[in-house]
Amino acid sequence: MDTQTPCQFSEPSSKPRVPLPLPLIGVLFLLLSVGLACRSTSGRPVPPAASPLVSPEGVGAQAAPITLGPTATPTPTATATPTPSPTPTPTPSPRELLTEAERHAHNGNYEAAAVACLTALRLAAPPATKADARFCLGANLLWSGSYDEAVEALQTFLRRHPDDPRLPQARLLLAEALQGVGRPQEAADHYRQVLQEDDTLAPYLYRWLGDAYREAGDFEAAVTAYQEAIRRAPRTDFLVEVREKLGLTYAALGDYASALAQYDAILAVAEQPAYRARIAYQAAQTLLIAGGEEAAYTRLQQIVNRYPATRSAYQALVDLLNAGQPVDEFQRGLVDYYNDAYTPAIAAFYRYIEANPEDHSGSAHYYAGLSYRALGNYAAAIEEFQTLLDTHPENRRWGEAWLALAWTRYLAEDSQAAVESYLALADDYPDHPQAPKALWWAAKVLEWSGGYEEAAEVYARLAADYPADEHAGDAAFLAGLSAYRAGDVAAAQSAWRAASPTAATTFWLGKSYLQAGHPLSATQALSRTLLLDPTGYYGRRAADLLSDRPPFAPLSATLTLSPTAQVEAETWLANWLGITSTQRLRTLPPALAADPRWRRGTALWALGHREEAKAELESLRAAYTRDPLALYPLALAFRDLGLYRSSILAANALIRLSPATTVYEAPPFLVSLAYPTPYADLVLPQAQTYHLDPLLVFAVIRQESLFEGFATSYAAARGLMQVIPSTGRYIAGQLRWPDYDDGDLYRPYVSIAFGTWYLAEQRDRFDGDLFAALAAYNAGPGNSRRWKEAAPDDPDLFVETIRFQETRRYVRAIYSHYAVYRWLYGD
């Protein structure tokens, strides 16, 4: 039909209406299925009932203050009550819808934001509000990946609002959308026009212009643009990225000498081995294309020899072998080993040994042993390590081979032989650099095997014989803990009293005194723990024991501070800094506000270029890290921008510089900048759904990502709650999340929904034990269960039992964060 009904969702225009992607069309028609009055009873759009998209955010943001605490279970009513007639909800105004869209966009739900923008556009509103709605619609369509629709919406904005001050931003968004639909030449035209209108982002504009020209096949124009971007490069990382693009563009033009010059310029400044290897490999490939085989093979050999642990070395090795080029067998084995090709690695090491029977390096036996061990062939691995020990005493890997042999015996489930091997090294070669490490691991294996008395003796020996060793302090503490686990509390207390006083030793002394019925001694020891570690895990647990408070005890709280908290904090800052005007504190110093990094960073952030904006703004923060007059307004500005990680780091630096010796002595408002509660509209309903303390969820997010939604860890975990893709797919299946993609983990509303569900699953798996749940969240439920079995009844002992240092630190850090959140927002 050509006649438009009230439920059709298009902007009045002589032009064809903007087509929307099918999933978004379905949402829109469901929302508007009964005309312009098609609203939920809340007055806000809701997604389809079958979709869980509404659950992370609810129907709308709750009004502050928000009460936190345990969720009460509703009591069924015995007597039926009349159902009241529904009260009509007023239609939201366009400005309210745009505020709603801004909230959705902040939470990464760009589809819902686009719905709100388009709904606002359908209502009567002043021209300025219409302009806001069109800009909002175009941006959110782009960020949702609906490029065709974004192009049409942004073109409409440019056509209807030619005097709007956001024209340069709209052109940049349009250019990005045009590249998304495969129209790079048109994108280039818009980039050039923006350069004439506003050159704030000139380095990036020239880089994007070069990308657009390269996509369009205009390589000469791309070269010119990239050269200009290099001339204006704000940072080294930007510079090398553009040089790499320029090198590829020169290669496409057939100008191989210029391409090589760019790669060599990168190698002159790049430091990270994997990146250097990759650029060197690109240079070698360019030489091969240019016909310079000999020079190319030389570069490939250099990669194999210098960077054997990189993926590029493996590619270089394959190229050399395919070309029939000779490769040193030892280096070939190393490259194979580091790239998990263990069987070829063993064969290469044996060829090397056979070719050099009298003067081969013992390291070949070491790496052959590691390769066998990786394959699970422990007997062959032990034989290789033993061969090195017997025939190559001069080899630099000799001590490591001894440790590797002992560890392999442990992996082969022969703990006694492993301990004997470790102790033999310490007994026979006490001056060897690896002797203290051998004692450390002997004690660890004994501890894991339940030999707590023997473990205590070995830990004590390490602490006494090697007091300068990195593990000596921990060994002194663990000597007492092992005796405690063996049931010899008196020996444990004696060991802890003899050790240098640390938060760990004084905490466990206090805990042991409590259990022994000596409250005065316990109070003294726990009070000393608080002095030694006022903000850390041991200090906070000591405070719990002194207050007879169970760990993770929930409490009612609000996410609001005193109305005067900011004024009080600024008065405190002014007194410290000796200034008279507190208003000056909130304003960025002129030099900082005019800094190109600030101007570029905020402009990039508004365009959705998060990583590039962060690079600019983090560079700025680092430059002012010891200037409190800059750190405070920066913390405020970063918070308001949504760059919470940088805000937290600035606030932390400010508190460290201040007279406050701990966060508990700083004004609460300052501490709230370091321990913020963003995304509360997502966290609170999810915490209520899964009966989690929202303050714990905030503590987890702070530890995982510092509230940085686009964060990625070295283990490929993504988003606010750092969910790895495989776990994300599992959770999506459990929640029946529609159209899930791994990239959705970067969206806050997805990450928080998934992360809270998974945390609650781990809590339930471990019968409410939040220490075990947090360990499972970080290291997996299987590992946490094994640690729990070793310490089933004592949460503090469980934390000490966690084998992975990273996980142990993770659990402790979250507990200390949680304590600060309770202090800030508790009643």
Side-chain angles (χ1 to χ4, degrees):
M1 294 176 58
D2 294 330
T3 304
Q4 181 182 341
T5 68
C7 280
Q8 287 178 303
F9 215 8
S10 64
E11 178 185 348
S13 172
S14 60
K15 297 282 186 181
R17 63 190 177 92
V18 178
L20 296 170
L22 289 178
L24 193 52
I25 290 174
V27 174
L28 300 183
F29 274 96
L30 184 64
L31 293 174
L32 300 179
S33 56
V34 283
L36 191 59
C38 301
R39 310 281 174 202
S40 68
T41 56
S42 69
R44 293 183 174 88
V46 293
S51 168
L53 295 181
V54 70
S55 65
E57 301 188 10
V59 180
Q62 294 178 262
I66 303 170
T67 300
L68 308 181
T71 305
T73 303
T75 303
T77 305
T79 305
T81 56
T83 303
S85 301
T87 302
T89 303
T91 299
S93 69
R95 186 53 58 190
E96 289 172 330
L97 286 166
L98 291 178
T99 299
E100 185 79 357
E102 184 178 359
R103 184 178 68 84
H104 283 308
H106 175 259
N107 293 340
N109 194 345
Y110 305 117
E111 295 81 1
V115 170
C117 298
L118 196 48
T119 305
L121 201 53
R122 292 278 299 160
L123 302 177
T129 302
K130 289 283 188 182
D132 292 344
R134 290 191 179 98
F135 188 89
C136 165
L137 176 62
N140 283 286
L141 287 170
L142 169 65
W143 297 333
S144 71
S146 302
Y147 297 119
D148 285 308
E149 294 75 17
V151 167
E152 184 67 22
L154 290 164
Q155 286 177 334
T156 301
F157 175 85
L158 293 173
R159 184 173 63 251
R160 295 201 173 193
H161 306 283
D163 298 322
D164 193 284
R166 291 168 295 187
L167 248 59
Q169 294 97 311
R171 288 193 193 283
L172 288 175
L173 294 171
L174 175 58
E176 191 173 343
L178 286 166
Q179 285 182 270
V181 297
R183 294 155 64 182
Q185 188 61 55
E186 294 176 62
D189 294 339
H190 285 285
Y191 287 133
R192 287 200 311 271
Q193 190 162 350
V194 173
L195 278 166
Q196 296 172 1
E197 297 170 344
D198 184 351
D199 67 348
T200 299
L201 294 177
Y204 296 91
L205 283 164
Y206 280 112
R207 188 183 70 185
W208 299 333
L209 183 60
D211 293 344
Y213 280 135
R214 190 151 62 95
E215 290 174 24
D218 190 347
F219 298 119
E220 292 182 352
V223 165
T224 301
Y226 286 141
Q227 287 175 334
E228 190 61 28
I230 288 171
R231 191 178 71 82
R232 297 169 180 254
R235 302 177 313 281
T236 301
D237 62 318
F238 180 96
L239 177 67
V240 298
E241 180 186 346
V242 178
R243 284 198 184 281
E244 185 176 352
K245 292 174 181 284
L246 181 55
L248 292 170
T249 308
Y250 275 131
L253 285 168
D255 187 350
Y256 303 117
S258 295
L260 288 169
Q262 293 303 316
Y263 297 140
D264 287 336
I266 293 172
L267 292 171
V269 297
E271 297 179 354
Q272 207 273 337
Y275 182 65
R276 288 183 61 83
R278 184 168 69 78
I279 295 300
Y281 184 77
Q282 283 184 212
Q285 295 301 305
T286 302
L287 283 165
L288 286 173
I289 295 171
E293 287 86 357
E294 184 175 348
Y297 296 147
T298 297
R299 293 209 182 210
L300 293 173
Q301 292 279 6
Q302 290 172 345
I303 297 169
V304 168
N305 293 331
R306 295 175 183 175
Y307 312 109
T310 67
R311 186 63 185 170
S312 297
Y314 189 79
Q315 295 172 318
L317 175 63
V318 170
D319 289 348
L320 288 168
L321 295 176
N322 287 340
Q325 293 295 305
V327 179
D328 179 85
E329 292 291 357
F330 180 79
Q331 288 301 126
R332 178 175 177 176
L334 276 184
V335 172
D336 282 332
Y337 166 74
Y338 282 119
N339 284 275
D340 303 333
Y342 301 116
T343 300
I346 292 167
F349 290 129
Y350 280 175
R351 287 194 298 270
Y352 164 74
I353 293 170
E354 290 168 1
N356 304 275
E358 300 298 330
D359 58 351
H360 63 268
S361 169
S363 296
H365 296 291
Y366 176 72
Y367 285 106
L370 293 180
S371 299
Y372 273 126
R373 191 171 75 185
L375 293 169
N377 190 341
Y378 300 130
I382 290 171
E383 183 178 350
E384 289 296 330
F385 296 138
Q386 192 65 57
T387 298
L388 188 155
L389 295 175
D390 293 341
T391 61
H392 298 274
E394 80 295 337
N395 186 265
R396 66 188 183 93
R397 300 286 185 187
W398 189 86
E400 294 174 54
W402 197 310
L403 297 178
L405 182 147
W407 183 247
T408 305
R409 285 175 170 157
Y410 174 75
L411 294 176
E413 300 183 353
D414 192 346
S415 297
Q416 182 177 350
V419 171
E420 290 173 354
S421 296
Y422 283 127
L423 292 178
L425 175 58
D427 292 339
D428 297 344
Y429 302 94
D431 296 328
H432 194 281
Q434 300 292 357
K437 188 174 290 186
L439 288 175
W440 174 261
W441 287 109
K444 282 291 179 190
V445 173
L446 285 166
E447 178 188 335
W448 297 338
S449 305
Y452 299 122
E453 291 183 6
E454 298 90 339
E457 293 175 0
V458 178
Y459 278 131
R461 176 182 168 186
L462 169 57
D465 294 352
Y466 302 95
D469 184 72
E470 61 176 328
H471 293 300
D474 289 337
F477 163 67
L478 291 172
L481 191 67
S482 296
Y484 179 89
R485 297 179 73 178
D488 192 344
V489 177
Q493 292 174 341
S494 177
W496 290 326
R497 284 193 296 265
S500 298
T502 65
T505 57
T506 55
F507 171 77
W508 277 94
L509 263 177
K511 182 161 177 160
S512 68
Y513 286 139
L514 275 179
Q515 293 174 347
H518 302 299
L520 181 59
S521 297
T523 299
Q524 290 174 339
L526 293 172
S527 297
R528 190 173 190 188
T529 304
L530 268 173
L531 292 174
L532 291 170
D533 188 29
T535 63
Y537 165 79
Y538 288 111
R540 292 300 95 202
R541 285 294 295 129
D544 291 339
L545 294 181
L546 287 167
S547 304
D548 195 24
R549 180 175 57 229
F552 295 108
L555 78 169
S556 297
T558 65
L559 298 190
T560 56
L561 301 178
S562 161
T564 61
Q566 184 170 2
V567 173
E568 292 165 358
E570 290 169 352
T571 301
W572 184 85
L573 285 171
N575 290 335
W576 162 40
L577 298 171
I579 61 176
T580 57
S581 172
T582 58
Q583 185 60 38
R584 174 185 170 192
L585 291 168
R586 300 188 186 187
T587 306
L588 288 176
L592 198 155
D595 192 299
R597 291 170 293 187
W598 173 256
R599 297 176 62 218
R600 288 193 298 262
T602 52
L604 288 163
W605 187 267
L607 293 168
H609 289 266
R610 301 295 193 233
E611 290 286 0
E612 292 151 318
K614 174 186 169 183
E616 293 283 355
L617 296 172
E618 271 295 280
S619 173
L620 181 67
R621 182 191 64 79
Y624 288 88
T625 193
R626 299 198 60 81
D627 183 348
L629 286 174
L631 286 171
Y632 179 67
L634 277 176
L636 294 176
F638 290 148
R639 178 203 62 184
D640 295 343
L641 200 62
L643 187 58
Y644 301 112
R645 179 182 184 275
S646 296
S647 178
I648 290 169
L649 294 176
N652 278 339
L654 178 62
I655 292 170
R656 283 196 301 270
L657 292 172
S658 79
T661 58
T662 74
V663 293
Y664 297 108
E665 295 178 5
F669 180 78
L670 285 190
V671 182
S672 74
L673 293 174
Y675 291 82
T677 56
Y679 305 106
D681 58 323
L682 301 178
V683 169
L684 297 183
Q686 291 297 322
Q688 184 177 43
T689 297
Y690 299 118
H691 304 287
L692 292 166
D693 185 341
L695 297 181
L696 174 61
V697 177
F698 285 121
V700 170
I701 299 174
R702 189 185 189 280
Q703 178 62 26
E704 289 285 359
S705 66
L706 288 179
F707 297 95
E708 187 173 88
F710 52 94
T712 302
S713 78
Y714 71 91
R718 301 177 178 184
L720 287 174
M721 297 195 74
Q722 290 291 279
V723 177
I724 63 174
S726 59
T727 302
R729 291 189 286 273
Y730 162 71
I731 297 170
Q734 296 296 307
L735 293 177
R736 298 183 181 179
W737 199 274
D739 304 319
Y740 169 75
D741 180 84
D742 289 342
D744 291 339
L745 294 175
Y746 292 115
R747 297 181 180 222
Y749 84 101
V750 177
S751 183
I752 290 174
F754 281 28
T756 51
W757 182 90
Y758 191 67
L759 180 59
E761 183 190 56
Q762 303 315 311
R763 176 205 57 201
D764 296 342
R765 185 192 302 273
F766 290 98
D767 301 321
D769 184 340
L770 288 171
F771 282 118
L774 290 171
Y777 192 96
N778 179 262
N783 286 317
S784 189
R785 185 168 299 283
R786 285 189 289 273
W787 301 328
K788 178 75 171 172
E789 289 169 354
D793 303 319
D794 187 331
D796 296 305
L797 196 56
F798 168 82
V799 173
E800 305 293 355
T801 303
I802 295 173
R803 290 196 189 181
F804 301 162
Q805 185 180 57
E806 176 194 338
T807 303
R808 196 162 57 248
R809 288 175 175 170
Y810 173 86
V811 172
R812 289 173 177 168
I814 287 176
Y815 200 79
S816 64
H817 297 336
Y818 176 67
V820 178
Y821 275 106
R822 285 172 53 94
W823 174 76
L824 264 179
Y825 305 110
D827 57 2

